[in-house]
Structure formats: structure tokens, C-alpha cells
């Protein structure tokens, strides 16, 4: 095996470990919220307030940073050299800072109306608390913009380890707040800690940014070909990244007239996204810079190979997770949220929502890969159009399902929106590059889904057989561990029998 492949595997392994640790701390962080504040006014207000700055960030500039910076930077680096690329970095970061400060200022000034739009059915007291917390947390936008910008830069230089660690640091900071100061300073102190945690995501990257020769200087000369190219890509990219933020906004508006419903939806949705995010984060952040470099070097064969490998990897990993979470949503929710001020009814509500969200797990994972692939191929209009269609589908289904299924219908509508988005992106990718995804690739992915379905049957039988015997936290852990172990074995055996290439390669290497 070449040194490059060895390095990639080691990097992927490190990213997997760090990302899993970060997500684990994220689950601890979320469980502390409900343990300390339950599912009442304070938790609803905090979760709403913490999502408003991130929604505005994602809607206004999130897509520019996450998708357009890397292709443009790599294009300048390969064609015009490092010095010009560094000048572009200064202009780009200056632009992001200016926009972030503007969003923060507008958000703080108009926090009341923004909260009223987001959750119109909150009581006046809950809206007032939400507005106060929102004002405290709006500065997060500045650090988010800086952190995301430098993540893209480090990844372009082949440094993946530090970007993978930033969530670990911020989640650890919030958990430490709960442990040492949670009872003393309450939800207001938690809001301040959120801002500090996001600032840490930026600050820990500074030594490595300097290591690669970046010496940031404000540069307001935005009439630059690189900035122009970024902005031309930005519009369609922004729209295509609105899906998850607008799903969240739609769900909160519907849920705001039901007490504690926002907490239930947010906690189940965050758990669902965390699970998919562990693996999609590793794949997209490891592959996307290489994909952008392949496109910049006009190596389309390598670009197509990387894209197909990513798609197959996501299907192989996410399909069994999707089946497992749909079956084990109750014990998983009990383990994470079933203590402190959270009562049994709240845990049950979160578990049912998680089950419906999980229907869209594979769609969400595939969409991460396909959208990034289009971006790297400098085609931002296709995922934009598909995102608009999926958003319309989500909103229409939310109105329909909510009338029959209450908040559970909102989770199912979001899942359906993710599936539609992924299906449209898949169809467009195959149509635009008919030689990219071959029959053998499709066969392997279908067998992965079938193997996951058969695994799900086995896990369900085991779960029904043993779940009634355990009722404690330890019991739920045992149930999940037993079902998980049997599920892994069943999936591996079934996938091997079906002849899925990746599984057979892993088994042969171990032999």
C-alpha cells in the first residue's frame, strides 16, 4: 500500500475517533440540558434562541464558506500560486467578518420580531426569555464564520486533524459549564458559555493557520476575481444549503403552540443529525478537498472515482444505522435523556420522533455527498434547484402530516424532504455523468440496503425477546449492546454473502 493511502487511512481513522468522541460529548451536552432544565420554558427558550443565529448564518453565508471557498482557493493555488491564494484568503475572511458583524447587529436589534416569526405561539413570557438569550448568543456568528473559513483553509492544505477536533473542544467547554456552574448561573450562563465555546473553535486553529504561512490582514479590496468567482457560486450554493435550517424553522413554528414540543423536536433532530454527521463529516471533509483539487487539475476520472467511492461508503454505513435507530429508538432515548428533570413522557416523545426522523437518515447522508460533489464540480445550480423542490415538499407534507400526526408528522415530513432531495440529486448526477455510477456500484448499494433490512429483522426479533426483561439505565445499555453486536454480525455475514466488495475486501485483509 502506498504512503499516500496509508496516510489517508490513518487520517480517516483519527477523524473517525475524534468525530465519534465529539458526537459523544454532544450527546452528553444535550442530555445535560434536559437533565438540568427538563422540557419546560427554559429548555424551549434556550434551544430556540441557540438555533436562530445558526439559521441566519446558514441562510446568509453558511454555504459560501462550507462549499465555495475550497474550490476557489484550490483553483487559485494551482493556477496562480500560493501568494495569490493567501491574498484571496485575506479578502475572503474580511468579507465574511463584515457580513457576520452585520448579521449580528441586525439580529440583536430585531431579536424580538425574529423570535416572534420563529415561534409565534410562545407565551409572552417565553418569547421575552427567548429574545434575551438570542441577543446573548448572536456573537456566535462571528466566531462561526472565522472557524468555518479556517477549517476550509486547513483542509485545503491537507490538515484534517485539527478541524476534526474543534467540536470536541467546544462540547467539552459546555459540559464543564454544566458540571461546575450550571446550577449557579442557569440558562443565562449557558448562553454565554455557548459563545465562548464557539470562540474556542476559532482560537485553537490559529497556531496551525500560522504554520501554513497565513498572516491575516484586513483587505477590503473585494473587486477581485477570486471573490467574484466565490460570489457567483454563492447564490445557488446558499439556496441549496437552506434545507436543514428551513426544516428546523418550519418545525419550530408548528411546535411552538405545544408545551415542550420544541425541546422534543430539537433533541430528537440533533441526535438524528449527529448520527449521520459522524460518518458524512468524515467522508465529505476527507474527500471534498481532494475532489476540488482533482477538478482544479482537470482530472475528471479521479473526481468521479472519489465521488462514487464516497456514495458507496455512505450507503454501506448509514443503511444499517438507519435500520438500527428505527428499531432501538426507545432504549437509545432512555440512555441519553432518561434522567434528571426529563420525565418518562418526554423520553417517549423524543423516541417516537427519532424513529420518524430516522426514515430520512440514508437520504440525508447521500445528499451530503451528492451536494458537495456538485459544488466541487463547479455546478451549484443543480443542487439549488433540487433543494428548492425538496423544501416545498417538506413544507407541504408538514402541513398535511401535522394535522394527522401532530409533531411526529413534522419529523416524517423532514425525512421525506431529505429523501426527495437525495433522489433528485442522484438523478441529476447520473444524467449529467452517465459513466460515473456503474451497474456494479448500483448492485453493491442495493445489496447494502437489502443486507441492512435483513439485519433489521434479526435485531427486531432480538429486541422484542429481551427488551421486556430490562427497565433500568443499565438494562437499556445491555439491550442496545446485545442488539448492536448481533446486528453488526448479521450485517457483516449478509453483506459478505451478497458479495459487497468493501466487506469482502475488509474480511480478506484480516485473513
Amino acid at each position: 500500500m502506498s504512503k499516500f493511502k496509508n496516510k489517508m487511512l490513518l487520517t480517516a481513522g483519527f477523524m473517525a475517533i475524534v468525530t465519534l468522541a465529539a458526537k459523544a460529548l454532544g450527546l452528553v451536552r444535550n442530555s445535560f440540558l434536559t437533565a438540568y432544565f427538563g422540557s419546560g420554558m427554559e429548555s424551549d427558550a434556550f434551544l430556540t434562541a441557540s438555533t436562530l443565529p445558526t439559521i441566519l448564518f446558514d441562510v446568509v453565508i453558511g454555504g459560501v464558506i462550507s462549499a465555495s471557498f475550497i474550490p476557489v482557493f484550490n483553483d487559485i493555488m494551482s493556477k496562480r500560486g500560493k501568494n495569490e491564494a493567501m491574498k484571496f484568503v485575506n479578502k475572503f475572511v474580511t468579507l465574511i467578518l463584515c457580513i457576520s458583524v452585520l448579521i449580528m447587529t441586525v439580529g440583536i436589534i430585531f431579536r424580538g420580531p425574529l423570535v416572534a416569526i420563529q415561534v409565534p405561539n410562545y407565551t409572552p413570557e417565553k418569547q421575552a426569555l427567548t429574545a434575551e438569550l438570542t441577543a446573548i448568543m448572536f456573537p456566535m456568528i462571528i466566531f462561526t464564520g472565522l472557524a468555518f473559513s479556517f477549517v476550509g483553509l486547513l483542509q485545503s492544505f491537507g490538515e484534517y486533524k485539527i478541524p476534526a477536533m474543534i467540536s470536541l473542544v467546544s462540547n467539552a467547554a459546555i459540559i464543564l459549564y454544566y458540571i461546575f456552574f450550571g446550577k449557579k448561573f442557569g440558562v443565562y450562563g449557558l448562553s454565554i458559555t455557548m459563545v465562548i465555546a464557539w470562540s474556542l473553535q476559532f482560537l485553537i486553529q490559529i497556531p496551525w493557520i500560522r504554520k501554513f504561512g497565513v498572516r491575516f490582514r484586513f483587505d477590503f479590496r473585494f473587486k477581485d476575481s477570486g471573490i467574484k468567482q466565490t460570489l457567483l457560486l454563492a447564490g445557488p450554493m446558499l439556496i441549496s444549503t437552506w434545507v436543514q435550517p428551513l426544516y428546523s424553522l418550519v418545525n419550530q413554528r408548528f411546535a411552538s403552540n405545544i408545551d415542550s414540543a420544541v425541546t422534543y423536536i430539537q433533541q430528537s433532530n440533533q441526535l438524528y443529525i449527529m448520527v449521520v454527521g459522524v460518518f458524512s463529516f468524515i467522508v465529505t471533509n476527507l474527500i471534498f478537498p481532494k475532489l476540488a483539487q482533482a477538478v482544479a487539475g482537470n482530472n475528471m476520472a479521479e473526481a468521479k472515482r472519489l465521488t462514487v467511492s464516497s456514495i458507496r461508503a455512505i450507503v454501506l454505513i448509514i443503511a444499517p444505522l438507519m435500520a438500527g435507530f428505527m428499531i432501538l429508538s426507545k432504549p437509545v432515548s432512555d440512555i441519553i435523556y432518561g434522567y434528571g428533570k426529563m420525565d418518562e413522557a418526554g423520553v417517549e416523545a423524543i423516541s417516537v420522533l427519532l424513529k420518524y426522523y430516522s426514515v430520512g437518515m440514508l437520504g440525508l447522508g447521500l445528499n451530503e455527498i451528492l451536494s458537495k460533489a456538485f459544488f466541487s464540480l463547479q455546478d451549484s445550480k443543480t443542487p439549488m434547484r433540487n433543494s428548492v423542490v425538496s423544501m416545498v415538499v417538506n413544507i407541504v407534507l408538514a402541513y398535511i402530516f401535522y394535522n394527522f400526526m401532530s409533531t411526529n408528522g413534522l419529523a416524517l415530513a423532514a425525512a421525506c424532504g431529505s429523501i426527495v432531495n437525495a433522489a433528485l440529486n442522484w438523478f441529476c448526477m447520473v444524467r449529467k455523468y452517465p459513466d460515473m455510477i456503474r451497474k456494479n456500484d448500483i448492485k453493491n448499494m442495493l445489496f447494502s440496503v437489502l443486507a441492512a433490512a435483513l439485519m433489521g429483522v434479526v435485531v427486531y426479533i432480538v429486541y422484542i425477546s429481551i427488551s421486556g426483561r430490562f427497565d433500568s439505565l443499565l438494562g437499556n445499555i445491555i439491550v442496545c449492546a446485545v442488539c448492536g453486536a448481533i446486528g453488526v454480525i448479521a450485517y457483516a455475514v449478509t453483506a459478505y454473502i451478497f458479495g459487497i466488495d468493501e466487506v469482502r475486501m475488509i474480511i480478506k485483509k484480516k485473513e
Side-chain angles (χ1 to χ4, degrees):
M1 185 178 292
S2 67
K3 289 183 179 180
F4 173 74
K5 287 184 177 180
N6 272 324
K7 184 179 178 182
M8 288 287 285
L9 286 173
L10 288 172
T11 301
F14 178 86
M15 288 177 67
I17 293 169
V18 173
T19 305
L20 283 169
K23 297 301 181 184
L25 288 184
L27 293 178
V28 174
R29 179 199 69 198
N30 288 346
S31 65
F32 274 8
L33 175 68
T34 53
Y36 273 75
F37 303 110
S39 57
M41 183 177 76
E42 286 186 320
S43 62
D44 278 358
F46 174 79
L47 287 170
T48 303
S50 63
T51 57
L52 183 53
T54 56
I55 286 174
L56 282 177
F57 176 83
D58 289 339
V59 167
V60 178
I61 56 175
V64 179
I65 298 174
S66 63
S68 66
F69 173 79
I70 291 177
V72 174
F73 176 81
N74 279 286
D75 186 57
I76 296 172
M77 179 78 85
S78 64
K79 295 177 181 177
R80 294 156 54 188
K82 185 176 180 179
N83 287 337
E84 289 298 316
M86 290 299 103
K87 291 177 182 178
F88 165 72
V89 169
N90 285 334
K91 293 170 186 175
F92 181 85
V93 173
T94 302
L95 177 62
I96 294 300
L97 272 173
C98 291
I99 297 173
S100 299
V101 170
L102 179 62
I103 297 172
M104 180 192 72
T105 304
V106 172
I108 292 174
I109 293 172
F110 296 102
R111 59 189 181 275
L114 287 172
V115 169
I117 292 170
Q118 188 179 9
V119 281
N121 297 309
Y122 273 6
T123 63
E125 183 183 7
K126 189 185 284 191
Q127 281 203 358
L129 176 60
T130 304
E132 289 178 6
L133 300 181
T134 299
I136 294 172
M137 285 189 278
F138 251 112
M140 286 194 307
I141 286 180
I142 295 175
F143 299 114
T144 303
L146 289 170
F148 280 20
S149 297
F150 290 132
V151 161
L153 182 62
L154 288 175
Q155 288 172 350
S156 295
F157 282 120
E159 174 56 66
Y160 300 97
K161 295 178 182 179
I162 299 304
M165 292 177 63
I166 61 175
S167 294
L168 189 68
V169 173
S170 60
N171 284 335
I174 295 169
I175 290 170
L176 288 173
Y177 167 78
Y178 279 118
I179 294 172
F180 294 105
F181 305 109
K183 292 182 179 179
K184 184 175 182 180
F185 298 109
V187 74
Y188 288 97
L190 178 59
S191 299
I192 295 171
T193 304
M194 284 287 288
V195 179
I196 296 171
W198 272 104
S199 71
L200 291 175
Q201 291 201 3
F202 156 64
L203 292 173
I204 63 172
Q205 295 184 74
I206 292 176
W208 279 267
I209 290 295
R210 294 182 64 84
K211 173 185 172 183
F212 287 106
V214 177
R215 299 294 183 267
F216 175 70
R217 299 289 185 273
F218 284 102
D219 191 339
F220 297 93
R221 294 173 296 174
F222 299 140
K223 290 184 179 180
D224 174 83
S225 59
I227 295 296
K228 183 179 179 181
Q229 187 180 357
T230 302
L231 293 176
L232 286 173
L233 290 170
M237 283 185 176
L238 281 173
I239 295 173
S240 64
T241 58
W242 286 355
V243 176
Q244 284 303 319
L246 290 183
Y247 284 175
S248 178
L249 183 60
V250 169
N251 287 349
Q252 287 190 18
R253 280 184 61 85
F254 275 108
S256 63
N257 65 342
I258 302 174
D259 190 39
S260 302
V262 168
T263 296
Y264 301 150
I265 285 177
Q266 285 289 95
Q267 296 290 51
S268 57
N269 186 47
Q270 286 181 18
L271 177 55
Y272 154 69
I273 290 175
M274 279 181 183
V275 172
V276 182
V278 169
F279 301 100
S280 61
F281 175 87
I282 294 169
V283 174
T284 57
N285 286 277
L286 190 61
I287 297 297
F288 185 51
K290 301 295 179 186
L291 192 55
Q293 289 168 11
V295 173
N298 203 28
N299 188 353
M300 293 307 297
E302 177 67 5
K304 292 176 182 179
R305 186 192 68 79
L306 287 168
T307 301
V308 173
S309 297
S310 303
I311 294 171
R312 286 177 56 156
I314 283 292
V315 174
L316 182 69
I317 296 169
I318 299 297
L321 285 172
M322 174 179 165
F325 267 79
M326 291 178 69
I327 296 165
L328 301 174
S329 62
K330 181 60 168 66
V332 167
S333 299
D334 267 319
I335 292 169
I336 298 170
Y337 301 112
Y339 61 95
K341 291 185 178 181
M342 177 61 77
D343 56 22
E344 180 61 29
V347 173
E348 177 65 26
I350 291 173
S351 71
V352 176
L353 284 164
L354 178 60
K355 185 175 296 185
Y356 283 111
Y357 271 123
S358 297
V359 172
M361 194 174 282
L362 186 56
L364 183 62
L366 279 172
N367 199 52
E368 279 289 306
I369 299 295
L370 292 167
S371 296
K372 289 288 179 69
F374 276 116
F375 293 155
S376 66
L377 294 167
Q378 308 259 337
D379 177 6
S380 54
K381 291 183 180 179
T382 298
M384 177 197 71
R385 289 192 295 264
N386 295 338
S387 294
V388 170
V389 173
S390 68
M391 281 188 284
V392 172
V393 169
N394 173 238
I395 293 170
V396 171
L397 290 179
Y399 275 98
I400 296 171
F401 293 165
Y402 182 75
N403 291 323
F404 297 99
M405 303 169 63
S406 187
T407 52
N408 294 330
L410 301 178
L412 183 58
C416 291
S418 295
I419 294 170
V420 169
N421 201 2
L424 290 172
N425 279 333
W426 175 284
F427 173 78
C428 293
M429 182 66 75
V430 171
R431 186 177 180 182
K432 187 168 185 178
Y433 303 100
D435 62 331
M436 180 183 288
I437 303 174
R438 302 181 181 182
K439 288 183 179 180
N440 185 59
D441 299 316
I442 295 174
K443 183 192 76 172
N444 270 267
M445 286 184 272
L446 288 175
F447 278 150
S448 295
V449 174
L450 180 58
L454 294 174
M455 179 214 76
V457 173
V458 173
V459 171
Y460 180 74
I461 292 171
V462 174
Y463 174 64
I464 292 298
S465 302
I466 67 173
S467 61
R469 303 178 185 182
F470 302 99
D471 198 24
S472 63
L473 173 62
L474 179 60
N476 284 317
I477 293 173
I478 293 172
V479 168
C480 288
V482 171
C483 290
I486 292 174
V488 168
I489 295 170
Y491 185 62
V493 171
T494 309
Y496 184 80
I497 293 171
F498 285 159
I500 296 173
D501 295 339
E502 290 84 356
V503 175
R504 289 202 166 186
M505 284 174 62
I506 292 170
I507 292 174
K508 284 181 180 179
K509 284 179 182 178
K510 290 186 176 181
E511 292 174 351

